[in-house]
Amino acid sequence: GKVCLAYSGGLDTSCILKYLLEEDWDQVRSKAAKLGASKMEIVDLRKEFVETMLFPAIQCNAQYEGRYLLGTSLARPIIARAQIKAAQANGCDFVSHGCTGKGNDQLRFELAYQALSGGKISCLAPWRDPDFFQRFQGRNDLLAYAKEMGIPVTQTTAKPYSMDENLAHCSYESGQLENPSKPPPNDMWTRTDDPMTAPATAQFVDIQFEKGIPVKVSSEGKEYTDSLELFIALNAIGKTHGIGRIDIVENRSLGGLKSRGCYDSPAMTILRLAHLDLEGLVLDGRVRSLRDQFVTHSYTELIYSGLYFSPEREFVENSLVFAQRRVNGEVKLRLYRGNCDVVGRSSKTEKLYSEEESSMDSLVDFSPVDATGFININAIRLKKYGLQNLEESKNGGNV
C-alpha cells in the first residue's frame, strides 16, 4: 500500500519516515512490496492558514483555558485537508502522522481525515503501534535511532524538545519542561527575543480592522495590507520586542492528562489584544456577552479538541460572522520589552460610543433622576430574596 505522511522534518516524523521505509509490509499487507517514499509534495498554505483559520480565531478572541492561543490546534485542519488532497491525487491507501499516543494532535488529524474522506481512507499512527512504541520508548530512543541511521534532526539529548512551529507560533514540550516547577531555558525560544534585552525604545503599531478582520498594519513609516504580509510583519515586530511568550499547564482532551507547554505567538498576541480592545468601543454589550459565553468558548473548545470539520463548528462560525459586522475601527498599540499595551482606539463608522454622553461634565440626553426608577425596578426581586433570607435566619437557617 501507499502512505501519505504529514512530514514536518522534525524528530518524530523523520524517524517515522525511516521506520516506515524499513518495515516489512509483506506481513502487514498480504505480502505486498515494502513501503517506499515515492514522492514529496510541499504546498504553501500560509495565506489560506491566515485567512481561514487565524483571522476567525482573532474574530472570536479564541483562547484555550484563558491562555493558549491555539497555534497548533488551528494549523491541523489546514494540514489535514492538504494531506487528504495529496493522498487522493496520488492514489494512497493510507495517511499517516507523527503524533504521540498521549497528545491532542492525533485527534485533530484523524478526526479531520475521517470527515474529509468520509471514512474512506485508513490512518497509520506509529506512536500507537506496539511494535513502534516498544522499540522507541521516547525521544531519547528516537535520537539514538536518528544518529544510527544518519537522519539529520535539530533536537539533541540536551534539548530534546517536541516543537511545532508554524506562522502562528512555536510550541515546546518534553525534556526538562516536564518538570513544571523549573523555568524554561532562555535559549529555548525561537519566535521571540528575550524581553529583558529587547530594545529600550517602544515601538508603536496601528492596526485597522474591518468586520473584525485586520486589514492594515502601520508602524514606523511602513504599511502592510496583504493578509499574509501583515501577519508576517507583526511576527517580526513582536519578536523584536519579546511579545507573546506563555508558559502554562493545560488540560488535554485525551483522558484528562495535564501537560506543560510553552508557546511564543507574537502576531496572534498583538492581534487578539487589539481586536478585544476595539470590540469594547464598537460592539453592543449584550451581543458581546452572548458571543463570549457561547461562540468564543464553543469555538475554542471545538478547535482544541479536533472538531473543526463538524456541523457545530460551522454553526458557531456563522454566528461569529454576524457578531463581527460592526467591528470596524483602528487600534494603536505600544510594544515595549515583553509588554503590549493599547494606547488608543477609534472608529469612523461605528457610533455606539459618545464622548459627550460618557463625560462626567455633561448631562446631554441623560437625566440622573431616571436612574432612581431603574434601581427601584431591579431591586424588586432582590428585596423579596432578602426577606426570604431574613425569615430563614430567624428560623435557624443560613443567610
Side-chain angles (χ1 to χ4, degrees), residues 49-70:
F49 183 36
V50 170
E51 295 180 350
T52 66
M53 300 301 300
L54 301 185
F55 283 176
I58 294 300
Q59 284 181 300
C60 80
N61 306 315
Q63 193 177 56
Y64 182 68
E65 294 187 337
R67 304 286 302 280
Y68 173 42
L69 298 181
L70 302 171

Side-chain angles (χ1 to χ4, degrees), residues 159-228:
K159 297 179 180 179
Y161 310 118
S162 174
M163 297 165 60
D164 173 58
E165 185 171 11
N166 60 49
L167 201 61
H169 81 167
C170 188
S171 66
Y172 315 84
E173 294 179 322
S174 189
Q176 69 186 74
L177 297 177
E178 291 176 353
N179 183 343
S181 69
K182 292 185 177 181
N186 287 331
D187 63 353
M188 176 191 75
W189 307 95
T190 62
R191 301 299 294 273
T192 50
D193 295 340
D194 189 346
M196 300 293 289
T197 58
T201 303
Q203 182 170 350
F204 293 87
V205 178
D206 294 309
I207 303 177
Q208 184 177 327
F209 290 87
E210 290 180 4
K211 297 182 179 180
I213 294 174
V215 294
K216 184 168 75 171
V217 169
S218 307
S219 182
E220 297 186 340
K222 296 180 180 179
E223 288 189 353
Y224 308 89
T225 55
D226 176 78
S227 57
L228 179 58

Side-chain angles (χ1 to χ4, degrees), residues 70-110:
L70 302 171
T72 294
S73 314
L74 290 163
R76 295 319 184 217
I78 292 291
I79 296 171
R81 182 158 50 203
Q83 187 180 1
I84 289 294
K85 287 181 180 178
Q88 292 171 339
N90 289 279
C92 293
D93 305 292
F94 304 93
V95 286
S96 186
H97 58 71
C99 309
T100 70
K102 288 184 177 180
N104 294 314
D105 266 353
Q106 59 185 332
L107 307 179
R108 297 165 184 152
F109 273 115
E110 294 186 42

